[in-house]
Amino acid sequence: MKKVALIEFNTYHDECMYAQIRFLKESKYSITLIVSPQILERANEYLHLVEKSVVYDGKSTKNILKKINKIFKLLKYLSKNKIETVVFNTASSRLEVIVLSNLLKGKVNLFGILHNLKKVNDSLSQRLINRAVKKFFVLNDFLLDSTDLKKQSIELSSFYPIFFPEYATSNISKPKEEVWISIPGKLDFNRRDYDILTDALLQIKPVENIKILILGKTSLSEEKNKQFLENIKSNDISENFILFDSFVENALFHEYISKSDYVLLPLKNVGENYSKYKIMGSYNLAFAYRKNLISPKGLSHIEDINLNAVFYNDAKDLSSILNNVNKNSKKYKKSYHDKKWDFEVQKNKYINFLEE
């Protein structure tokens, strides 16, 4: 049986783990999972699919010599367990990835996922990783041609981590007349423009059927969050929102997404990051559950979004979309016909790149 180690030193990007583990498991790989304690804590739904799981706590020591010593111990572990292939779930930035990848160079097959292509040419840490890792996955087809690679020896392939465990449901009741529009993630004004949404709602209120689900914690320690809550309350649109004052557990989070009518990307402007170098996790959640997106026009060049979204330029456009779905929840529904959304297609793409 072929042996692979899937490694994530960070406390995030575990949304990409389950799909890869399924691909590998169904292709007869023996999987060793090496992750941070935070990710292991959230891995209950798929730990049974891996042969071994190892905790790597990079935050437990700040001393660089001790950290390098831990990396050498991990190297010894991989050698002892005869690991043939290593996939870095986040192949950028961290000292651990730089050191371990270069120590493993020529000894095992090395792969990584690039979550931000902006770094691939110009980041020093990325150039050090590129000395060892030559084959990288990106998370959407549009990223394959979105930037010119200065290092010609680097190869890119895409796969879509759009498969998730079957979570236990809590039987959330969705009233038939309501239209649920989800915004995955916590209330965060650094990443999203919720004001365009409130401006749009104010132009057409009252719209009793629409519920905006902000699927993450609403932290009151953030001043902008407090202002947002005060704003929707004073303008009598708080009834259009479903909010959470704590972390939304995975099972509940995915159940809300699965029962939503649309996934909304609330952005006034789309910067170069998301138009050229990286994806939002919201895309893949929409693709996973075959939900249509309500998207800013600045993302319409991405084929997957163009085929499965309705677009707005400003608050006026968004208000028109909301008004239409308030009257007819299926107004902008489009079907996901492409074979790329199938598990077998994505599995074969992933495994073929690993084995070619």
Side-chain angles (χ1 to χ4, degrees):
M1 187 176 277
K2 296 163 286 190
K3 292 187 174 184
V4 61
L6 181 58
I7 301 176
E8 180 55 82
F9 293 118
N10 294 307
T11 60
Y12 46 83
H13 287 324
D14 46 324
E15 72 278 1
C16 302
M17 289 285 198
Y18 177 75
Q20 293 180 84
I21 290 169
R22 281 276 310 280
F23 297 160
L24 292 163
K25 187 72 176 178
E26 296 196 14
S27 302
K28 309 303 180 186
Y29 277 80
S30 171
I31 307 162
T32 297
L33 189 65
I34 300 171
V35 293
S36 64
Q38 294 85 351
I39 287 183
L40 191 70
E41 195 176 325
R42 299 194 293 265
N44 291 334
E45 288 84 9
Y46 54 81
L47 268 187
H48 66 285
L49 296 173
V50 307
E51 277 63 43
K52 296 176 183 176
S53 56
V54 178
V55 176
Y56 181 92
D57 190 356
K59 291 187 175 181
S60 63
T61 177
K62 301 292 183 184
N63 184 296
I64 192 165
L65 292 177
K66 288 183 178 178
K67 189 166 281 193
I68 289 174
N69 184 51
K70 289 180 72 170
I71 297 169
F72 271 95
K73 286 182 178 178
L74 186 54
L75 176 70
K76 187 177 178 181
Y77 176 87
L78 293 170
S79 176
K80 182 181 177 182
N81 285 275
K82 296 181 170 56
I83 298 298
E84 302 159 285
T85 300
V86 168
V87 180
F88 293 101
N89 190 58
T90 304
S92 58
S93 302
R94 288 188 68 112
L95 173 70
E96 288 91 343
V97 179
I98 295 168
V99 175
L100 186 58
S101 64
N102 280 278
L103 288 171
L104 289 169
K105 182 181 177 182
K107 299 173 184 175
V108 301
N109 300 313
L110 294 172
F111 296 83
I113 297 177
L114 288 174
H115 294 271
N116 188 347
L117 275 170
K118 191 173 186 178
K119 300 177 179 180
V120 74
N121 290 321
D122 303 318
S123 161
L124 174 59
S125 61
Q126 191 63 53
R127 290 204 303 270
L128 291 172
I129 293 167
N130 294 351
R131 290 173 58 187
V133 185
K134 304 297 183 183
K135 294 189 174 186
F136 294 94
F137 291 103
V138 292
L139 301 180
N140 192 285
D141 291 344
F142 95 94
L143 292 169
L144 292 171
D145 303 311
S146 68
T147 189
D148 293 324
L149 297 173
K150 292 179 182 177
K151 200 171 180 69
Q152 296 301 312
S153 59
I154 289 176
E155 293 181 54
L156 298 182
S157 183
S158 61
F159 85 98
Y160 290 51
I162 56 173
F163 309 98
F164 296 96
E166 289 187 15
Y167 294 99
T169 61
S170 55
N171 297 314
I172 298 166
S173 177
K174 179 181 182 291
K176 188 177 180 180
E177 70 279 3
E178 288 186 0
V179 181
W180 284 9
I181 300 173
S182 282
I183 304 174
K186 66 180 181 180
L187 188 66
D188 184 355
F189 276 85
N190 292 319
R191 300 182 66 188
R192 301 174 191 88
D193 300 313
Y194 303 95
D195 291 338
I196 195 172
L197 174 56
T198 52
D199 290 347
L201 283 170
L202 289 173
Q203 291 181 37
I204 55 172
K205 75 168 193 178
V207 278
E208 296 176 0
N209 293 338
I210 287 181
K211 296 291 184 184
I212 308 294
L213 286 62
I214 299 180
L215 294 174
K217 184 178 180 180
T218 304
S219 175
L220 294 179
S221 62
E222 299 289 334
E223 188 59 35
K224 283 191 175 181
N225 290 0
K226 288 195 284 187
Q227 291 173 5
F228 171 79
L229 295 179
E230 290 167 4
N231 184 37
I232 63 173
K233 185 176 181 180
S234 63
N235 283 289
D236 296 321
I237 54 172
S238 56
E239 290 300 312
N240 292 116
F241 290 87
I242 295 176
L243 303 169
F244 300 85
D245 57 11
S246 61
F247 174 77
V248 182
E249 295 294 336
N250 275 338
L252 189 62
F253 177 90
H254 283 270
E255 188 171 0
Y256 272 117
I257 295 284
S258 69
K259 291 184 176 178
S260 293
D261 297 284
Y262 296 91
V263 172
L264 171 63
L265 310 176
L267 293 171
K268 289 178 183 175
N269 299 296
V270 176
E272 196 177 51
N273 259 357
Y274 289 117
S275 65
K276 189 174 180 180
Y277 296 120
K278 63 192 295 189
I279 68 160
M280 298 179 200
S282 298
Y283 306 171
N284 282 342
L285 286 163
F287 301 153
Y289 291 100
R290 309 295 193 266
K291 302 299 176 182
N292 294 126
L293 288 148
I294 300 173
S295 169
K297 186 71 173 174
L299 296 174
S300 62
H301 65 287
I302 300 172
E303 185 179 21
D304 295 332
I305 297 179
N306 199 341
L307 294 173
N308 299 292
V310 58
F311 296 97
Y312 64 87
N313 279 310
D314 51 28
K316 185 178 180 181
D317 286 351
L318 184 54
S319 69
S320 177
I321 292 168
L322 295 177
N323 193 42
N324 285 334
V325 298
N326 183 55
K327 295 173 181 175
N328 176 9
S329 65
K330 296 181 180 179
K331 172 73 176 178
Y332 300 107
K333 290 297 174 81
K334 303 176 183 181
S335 299
Y336 282 76
H337 291 305
D338 201 298
K339 285 287 185 184
K340 73 163 60 177
W341 311 118
D342 295 346
F343 178 85
E344 286 297 318
V345 171
Q346 291 301 325
K347 181 192 80 173
N348 290 337
K349 281 191 72 179
Y350 182 91
I351 296 298
N352 287 344
F353 190 57
L354 230 57
E355 296 183 348
E356 68 182 23

